Amino acid sequence: MGILMWIIVGLVAGALAKLIMPGPDKGGWIMTIVLGIVGAFVGGFVGDLLGIGSAQASGFNIETILTAVGGAIIVLFLYRTFSK
């Protein structure tokens, strides 16, 4: 995927992760995009290890979004745990 696609997927995944796990996070939209992009990488890596997803998913599809959101939730949980 191109960098623009990663940013779009990151924005969507980060926003969905924050909707699923609401909380008093700081950072606004920039942090949401970063959270989603990091989550997409984490989700792709974990998906590859478990054999349920792929880091090489092509394009903007439901598999890519679900994988990225799952990774973003993991990253958000770790961020909240260690930032206290």
Side-chain angles (χ1 to χ4, degrees):
M1 273 194 272
I3 189 71
L4 183 60
M5 185 60 70
W6 277 110
I7 292 171
I8 293 170
V9 169
L11 175 63
V12 172
L16 288 174
K18 283 195 174 188
L19 283 174
I20 293 169
M21 292 181 63
D25 296 322
K26 298 177 183 170
W29 285 103
I30 301 295
M31 195 61 183
T32 300
I33 293 171
V34 171
L35 166 73
I37 292 171
V38 172
F41 282 111
V42 169
F45 180 72
V46 170
D48 275 345
L49 288 176
L50 298 176
I52 58 173
S54 173
Q56 300 299 323
S58 60
F60 191 80
N61 56 33
I62 192 69
E63 179 187 358
T64 304
I65 295 298
L66 291 177
T67 303
V69 169
I73 289 172
I74 292 169
V75 170
L76 182 59
F77 174 77
L78 292 174
Y79 173 75
R80 288 179 180 170
T81 299
F82 293 113
S83 66
K84 291 184 179 184

